[in-house]
Every structure is written in C-alpha cells, then in structure tokens.
Amino acid sequence: MKKILTTGTLIISLVLLFTQNSKAQYVINEADEQYYLFNYTKAIDLYSQAYKKRPTLRAAQQLASCYRLTHDYKNAESWYAIVVAMPESQPENILKYAEALQNNSKYSEAKEQYVKYLSLNLEQNTDKVKKLVMSCDSAIKWMKNPVWVNIVNEKALNTAQSDWGSVKYGNSIVFSSDRTNTSKEAGGEKKKPFLKFDGGDISPSTKVYGWTGNDYLRLYQFDGNAAKLFPINTGTEYHIGAATFTADGNEMYFTLTRIHSKAKEDKKGTKTINIEIYSSVKEKGSDTWSKPVAFAYNNSELWSAGDPFITPDGKKLYFVSDMEGGKGGTDIYYCNRNTAGGWDLPVNITSINTEGNERTPYVGPGNDFYFASDGGIGMGGLDIFKATYSGNIYSDVQNLGYPVNSPQDDFAYSLTAPKTGYLSSERIGGAGSDDIYSFSEKIKPVYALRLEGTALDKTNQTALANTIVTFGKTNGATPLKVQTDETGKYKFDLESGNIYQLTGEKTGYRGDFEEVTTEGLTASTVIRKDLFLNPIVLNKEIKLENIYYDLNKSDIRPDAAVELNKLIKILKDNPTIWIELGSHTDSRASDAYNMALSQRRADAAVKYIVTVGGIDRNRITAKGYGETRLVNGCSNGVSCTIQQHQQNRRTEFKIVKQ
C-alpha cells in the first residue's frame, strides 16, 4: 500500500510539474512574439511570468536582452548576472554583463568581466575587449578628477521621448525630437522598426515608428516659450534628423528618410532604408524655405549619409557615412564647396576615424574640432572628443572626460559661447531616452569644501571597495559619481550654498541614502559622511514590524500601511530585487482556516504595494504560511500568553532575486 501511495504521489508531482512547465512554455511563446515585434515592455511582463513559473536560461536571457534594449541598465545588469551564472550560458553573455556593469558606472566590476572573457582565449572581439578594459581604467581616473563644469538638463526642451541635436538659430534653438506630434493624427498600428520593414509593397506606418512606438523624428524650434515644428516642408512622413545652419541663417542641411522601391531585401524579406542628407535655402525676402535638394553624395541603396555640419561661412560640409572604403562603422567625411557652388569629392578624415562609429562633427572657434565616437578609449557608448586641425590635418585627439561624457551615449556637442553650449546625452537621470543638456565651465571657489567618507558593510562595519557613490545637487545639475578605493574611501569637491543628495550603491547590497549641505559655509571645510550598506541575503526572512490586522480580517489598517510604505520605498530604491511577502498566524483556530487567512492577508499586502506603490506585480509573490512556521512553542493545545501568540502573528519578506 505504501508503495502504491508513493507511486501515486510521484505521478501527481510529475503531472503538476508538466503542467507548470507547459504553462511556462506557453507564456514564453507569447513573450517571443512580442519580443520579435519589438514590444519589449509587454515581453518583459510575459518573460517575468514565465521565469517565476520555471526559472530557465531562456527566460532569464530574454529578460536581460529586453532590459538592455530598453536601456534599463540596472535590471539588465541584474538579469545578466543571473544568466552568466547559469549552466550552458554562452560567452557573449559575459560581454553583455560587462557592458551592463559599465553602463551603471561599475567600471571595476565591468573590467573583471571583460578580463574573464579574454581568459577564454576566444578569437572574437579580442582587440575590442582589450580597448574596453583600458576604457574602464581611464573612466575610473576621470571620475576621480572630474572636469570643473556644470551639466544641466534643459527640462524646457526635453520630453520622455528622444530630444537631441540642439543648435542656435537666431534667437531660438532648433533640435530633433520624436515627441508626440499633436499637429498630426495619432494612432496607427505598430510594425517592425522603420529601418527594417516588411518588403513587397508594404511600407511602414507613417504615424508610429514601430521600434519605439513614438512618432518619427521631426525638427522643432524653441523660442524660449514653447517648442513648435520647424517651418519647412521636407516631403517625407518619416524621420527628419538634426539640422545645421550657415552663420547668416539662410542655408540649412539636415537628414531625412524616404521610402523608395529599390531598397534591397534580406533573406527574411525585410528592407533596409538608409538615411540621406538634404539642404534648403531661404527664399529671398521671406522666411519660407525652398524645396529640399538631395546631397550629391547620397546613395541610399548602398550607404547612409547623415549628421551634416556646415561651416559658418558655408564653404565646407562635414558629414558621417558608412560608405565603402571607410575604416568601419560610420566615418567622418568633409567636402569643400567649389567655385560652381557644388561639392567636391568626399574626403575621409582618417586620422580621427576608427573601426567603431564616429558621429556628429562640429567645428568650434579657433582650431577646435569636436565629434562623438564609440571607437576610442571612453566612458561607454559614444563619447565626445576634441581634435585640433590646421588646414586639412586633424590631430591631438582627446576625450573631454567626465562629466561631459557618461557611461551612455554622449554626442551632438555645440558651443554658444567660448565656455558654454549644448550636448545631447542618454545618461541616466534624464527626462527619458536622449536629452539635451547645457554645459558651462565652473569657477573654482577661493576656499575648498570637501566631502570625505567611507562606504561600510552595515552588518560588520568592513570597508566596501568599488562602491559607486553618487552626489547630486537639488538645483537640477547632473549628479556626479565616484568609485571608492580599495579601503572604501571616497572624496568629492563641493560648492557652497547647495544641498546634496548622497547615494551609495554596490552589487549585492541595498543602497544607502544621505543628505549633505554646504549652506552657510564660507571657509575651507572638510565634511565627513560615511555610508552604510545592507548586504542582500537571498531567502532570509526580514520581519516587518507593526503589521497588524483586525481579528479574522485581512484589511490593511492605517498603522500597517505606514510599515508597508517603508517596504515600497525599499523596492523603489532597489528596482532589481524581487521579494516574497509572507504572512503568518498564531495557532488558534483550525490549521486550514489559518492557512486561508494568512494567504488573504498576504494577498492584501501585495495588492496595497502594487496599487499604492506602483510596484510591478511580477516582483512580488504573496505567500500565506498559516501556523506552519511558529517562532516559539505556542502550537495547538499549548497555553500561551497574548504576547507569545503575537510573536507568531507576523508579516515578513525575503529577497528572492537581487
């Protein structure tokens, strides 16, 4: 009989496991469909559900990829950490994990992963990875010695969408943005991304760019009050890139995309559309722009041409292209204007181009030439560089350092005065996607204000090396970061009259948050502020104090809401962690009743966290334990005091994913 029961139990267990795995696979299939349609947010929700049902490499890897593609670098790092620790994970995941760490300014940890990849002695990417190792070393040095410059997000120009490429035009600013265009009818189905779309006679939607779900890029003009569409008829319903103007404002160049029938199809039947450069001139005696004219060296069937910059005198045009004969990716070229008014053959600036991508050329005053590149030693993504030029010789290429550059893309540098201007950046903390920032050189005060401290493990007071310490001013300037040394120490130079928000972050720890003020300080001062980080221990119960329920009820009382709000803050401050929230009862009432009651209470607590705190439901699991995990001997039939029973009526949470 015992053997029969055991066999029956095994069969039931196998059936349950099969059912669970089948549900997980069904959800994976749904997630894959959304993923290949570039609907990454929906795919994240579905892959998360699948991972909770069955934690497979496939689900974890796709979650990491979705977060990487949506530029949620903290969650990308968290999931790639899980992926690289799983059996059968491929070496390229180590590179992606390192990239995610680098995007989060964790350069020492990123370097470890790059070195780990190199130790595998693979032939692929070796030179590139060696350069990334050197970039990590350089970034750490730059962060310790930041350039004395203010970087400020221009909130009046930016939206949750992509805003970039700002240039002065008269008394206004012209830039490119894919914000919602209220002058057009919104809507339309999402398709595959614009640059790759279904072949045949099917064109991409003219209303929605499938990759982002936003409108297409358009030129906007900001006059100090509001941003309006720039008054030019380009003849395309698709992307219009950033513009450049001659000094007199009468001639402009810009990029656009147009659909034509000769685009080549790949094996999957998708077409690739390359961008092109167009120009327009103001009609005499009016503010009307002429019909755009194609640049002589466009060839959208074979290559892209974009990021134009016309010199103020209109005699030289710089642009980028991936045309044949370049050094790799997109290279910077220039054309000289000839006596007939046309453009001479393009010249590749070989001394500054790399095997990576060069972007957004800009000529400053004097002999300064600025551009963006992801092929040099940098912070990560595109970095802004400066070179000097004399005639047609470009030399002395230098990275502009930190905080002009960040771990994300930084590009489209332009000056409005010798020490002020604009740049575009995808750095963390902006309004969303690419943002426009202003920069201005700061003057060092005559007296020194310094912040010094140590990052420590809160449980044992040991120093934490390679902790990322961030301090941001409440006046809106972009926060700065530094990495603690091998003894856990850090230091910052501060400015007077400011309040700073201080944050410490390290892999495997919950962050610490402090406030520092320099208001009223008028003499050289050293401010001391240590940071204490809580280590994350997976599956360890953490009791939530003062979570009480009325007898036999599961409603969230006001006093319980106060404590749940603290948990909401933990989840918001640590956006990668997943938790299980468990509710426990004492032994009074039947076992079955207590189990059901505790589950209702756990469900109510989770519902509160999700609805009030706005926390993703996939990050929390509600679990009722009834009286199965008593903390004392007050089990059925044992006489105990009210206080002893209260010890068992508790709500706890444990971190199940960091």
Side-chain angles (χ1 to χ4, degrees):
M1 182 67 177
K2 182 177 180 181
K3 182 178 180 180
I4 295 173
L5 288 174
T6 303
T7 304
T9 302
L10 177 61
I11 291 172
I12 291 171
S13 298
L14 289 173
V15 169
L16 289 173
L17 180 61
F18 175 78
T19 302
Q20 188 175 30
N21 290 346
S22 297
K23 288 181 179 178
Q25 186 58 50
Y26 174 75
V27 177
I28 283 279
N29 292 339
E30 280 192 297
D32 286 345
E33 182 178 346
Q34 297 302 318
Y35 180 88
Y36 293 122
L37 288 172
F38 304 94
N39 296 329
Y40 297 122
T41 301
K42 180 62 176 176
I44 286 170
D45 176 50
L46 293 167
Y47 284 128
S48 297
Q49 293 178 37
Y51 186 85
K52 289 179 77 172
K53 294 178 185 296
R54 186 172 174 230
T56 63
L57 172 63
R58 166 75 175 160
Q61 190 168 272
Q62 289 299 97
L63 277 165
S65 180
C66 285
Y67 282 118
R68 177 176 60 85
L69 291 166
T70 54
H71 301 174
D72 183 340
Y73 301 113
K74 287 189 175 181
N75 272 299
E77 175 197 326
S78 173
W79 283 105
Y80 275 121
I82 291 171
V83 168
V84 298
M86 299 177 83
E88 300 182 5
S89 177
Q90 297 300 306
E92 58 263 26
N93 287 323
I94 299 175
L95 281 182
K96 291 175 181 177
Y97 180 36
E99 179 187 345
L101 289 164
Q102 188 173 356
N103 275 312
N104 290 319
S105 301
K106 296 179 178 180
Y107 290 103
S108 290
E109 294 181 55
K111 179 181 176 180
E112 289 179 11
Q113 296 302 317
Y114 287 132
V115 170
K116 180 179 179 181
Y117 179 85
L118 289 173
S119 71
L120 299 176
N121 295 316
L122 304 172
E123 294 182 1
Q124 306 96 311
N125 304 309
T126 300
D127 291 339
K128 177 182 177 181
V129 175
K130 287 180 179 178
K131 186 174 289 186
L132 289 168
V133 170
M134 291 188 286
S135 291
C136 289
D137 289 334
S138 295
I140 292 170
K141 293 178 182 177
W142 291 330
M143 289 169 69
K144 287 182 177 178
N145 299 282
V147 179
W148 202 254
V149 62
N150 264 327
I151 309 289
V152 178
N153 188 292
E154 291 297 315
K155 296 181 179 179
L157 300 177
N158 295 317
T159 63
Q161 289 76 39
S162 181
D163 307 280
W164 62 278
S166 56
V167 294
K168 287 283 290 182
Y169 173 66
N171 294 321
S172 66
I173 297 168
V174 175
F175 61 99
S176 189
S177 175
D178 63 356
R179 65 187 62 193
T180 301
N181 182 0
T182 55
S183 66
K184 289 181 58 180
E185 182 184 355
E189 73 284 2
K190 294 183 181 180
K191 299 193 176 187
K192 291 187 176 181
F194 174 66
L195 292 180
K196 291 186 181 296
F197 63 95
D198 294 334
D201 296 326
I202 301 175
S203 293
S205 168
T206 60
K207 298 176 181 178
V208 177
Y209 179 31
W211 188 299
T212 63
N214 301 333
D215 279 14
Y216 290 99
L217 289 167
R218 290 286 181 269
L219 289 178
Y220 286 84
Q221 184 173 5
F222 180 73
D223 60 5
N225 296 310
K228 300 178 181 179
L229 285 171
F230 187 78
I232 183 172
N233 182 8
T234 60
T236 183
E237 295 179 294
Y238 302 109
H239 288 308
I240 306 168
T244 176
F245 298 86
T246 53
D248 60 14
N250 291 327
E251 184 178 14
M252 67 180 291
Y253 287 76
F254 52 91
T255 57
L256 59 77
T257 45
R258 62 187 178 90
I259 303 301
H260 55 88
S261 60
K262 295 182 180 180
K264 292 183 178 180
E265 293 187 5
D266 62 19
K267 294 180 180 179
K268 295 182 179 180
T270 60
K271 289 183 178 181
T272 298
I273 298 299
N274 291 311
I275 61 175
E276 301 171 277
I277 296 173
Y278 279 74
S279 63
S280 180
V281 296
K282 266 189 181 180
E283 297 180 0
K284 289 185 178 181
S286 74
D287 290 329
T288 302
W289 290 93
S290 66
K291 181 180 179 181
V293 176
F295 179 46
Y297 302 107
N298 289 339
N299 191 338
S300 59
E301 294 178 41
L302 298 178
W303 62 69
S304 283
D307 288 353
F309 175 80
I310 185 75
T311 55
D313 60 9
K315 294 181 178 180
K316 182 175 286 190
L317 180 71
Y318 293 89
F319 66 98
V320 306
S321 178
D322 57 356
M323 66 175 65
E324 186 178 352
K327 296 181 73 172
T330 53
D331 282 9
I332 297 176
Y333 294 81
Y334 69 82
C335 292
N336 289 314
R337 183 165 255 160
N338 55 43
T339 55
W343 295 107
D344 290 337
L345 289 171
V347 177
N348 186 303
I349 309 180
T350 56
S351 59
I352 63 175
N353 289 320
T354 69
E355 293 181 355
N357 296 289
E358 277 65 54
R359 295 285 311 277
T360 59
Y362 172 81
V363 175
N367 296 321
D368 293 333
F369 181 78
Y370 299 89
F371 63 99
S373 175
D374 62 10
I377 303 298
M379 300 284 294
L382 291 167
D383 272 30
I384 300 170
F385 292 81
K386 181 176 77 171
T388 57
Y389 71 98
S390 178
N392 294 323
I393 298 175
Y394 299 78
S395 59
D396 192 25
V397 176
Q398 297 179 2
N399 188 297
L400 291 189
Y402 179 76
V404 174
N405 290 313
S406 72
Q408 287 74 48
D409 285 339
D410 304 284
F411 58 105
Y413 185 96
S414 67
L415 290 162
T416 55
K419 297 180 180 180
T420 63
Y422 294 102
L423 61 86
S424 300
S425 179
E426 193 204 17
R427 65 189 62 197
I428 294 172
S433 191
D434 300 314
D435 274 11
I436 297 167
Y437 292 80
S438 63
F439 62 85
S440 58
E441 185 176 318
K442 295 189 293 186
I443 300 175
K444 289 190 176 183
V446 294
Y447 52 89
L449 298 175
R450 174 160 290 184
L451 172 66
E452 296 182 355
T454 305
L456 300 164
D457 184 307
K458 191 171 184 178
T459 58
N460 57 27
Q461 305 298 298
T462 56
L464 296 176
N466 303 328
T467 299
I468 303 303
V469 181
T470 305
F471 78 108
K473 293 186 290 187
T474 54
N475 67 359
T478 300
L480 293 179
K481 298 177 184 287
V482 73
Q483 181 176 287
T484 59
D485 62 20
E486 63 276 3
T487 64
K489 297 185 183 302
Y490 69 91
K491 59 184 178 181
F492 283 123
D493 290 324
L494 305 178
E495 298 174 63
S496 61
N498 284 290
I499 299 175
Y500 293 89
Q501 303 295 331
L502 194 66
T503 306
E505 298 174 85
K506 183 173 174 62
T507 302
Y509 286 82
R510 285 161 46 198
D512 188 20
F513 306 87
E514 300 288 345
E515 189 172 274
V516 175
T517 181
T518 59
E519 292 181 333
L521 298 179
T522 57
S524 295
T525 306
V526 175
I527 302 171
R528 180 80 191 181
K529 180 69 71 172
D530 292 337
L531 294 167
F532 298 89
L533 283 69
N534 278 299
I536 294 175
V537 181
L538 295 181
N539 299 308
K540 178 184 178 181
E541 284 80 9
I542 302 172
K543 184 179 179 181
L544 289 169
E545 302 292 344
N546 303 316
I547 300 290
Y548 300 123
Y549 299 87
D550 291 330
L551 185 63
N552 295 331
K553 292 185 178 180
S554 58
D555 299 329
I556 302 299
R557 294 179 4 177
D559 51 355
V562 172
E563 300 305 314
L564 290 177
N565 288 339
K566 295 177 183 178
L567 181 54
I568 289 171
K569 185 176 187 307
I570 290 174
L571 290 166
K572 287 184 175 181
D573 290 341
N574 302 271
T576 67
I577 64 173
W578 286 13
I579 67 168
E580 177 190 282
L581 191 144
S583 179
H584 304 261
T585 68
D586 58 36
S587 61
R588 293 175 292 183
S590 70
D591 292 358
Y593 178 84
N594 283 335
M595 185 64 75
L597 176 62
S598 65
Q599 186 63 51
R600 290 198 304 273
R601 287 175 173 175
D603 289 337
V606 169
K607 182 179 179 180
Y608 178 90
I609 293 169
V610 171
T611 55
V612 175
I615 303 299
D616 180 4
R617 180 65 177 83
N618 288 318
R619 295 176 60 193
I620 317 173
T621 299
K623 179 68 174 178
Y625 288 97
E627 58 183 273
T628 62
R629 295 189 178 183
L630 302 174
V631 298
N632 52 33
C634 297
S635 57
N636 292 336
V638 177
S639 177
C640 291
T641 65
I642 294 176
Q643 290 75 17
Q644 288 173 318
H645 282 302
Q646 178 60 59
Q647 291 175 359
N648 291 315
R649 297 197 307 274
R650 66 198 189 278
T651 299
E652 298 173 332
F653 76 93
K654 58 184 178 183
I655 299 171
V656 296
K657 185 194 86 68
Q658 60 178 312

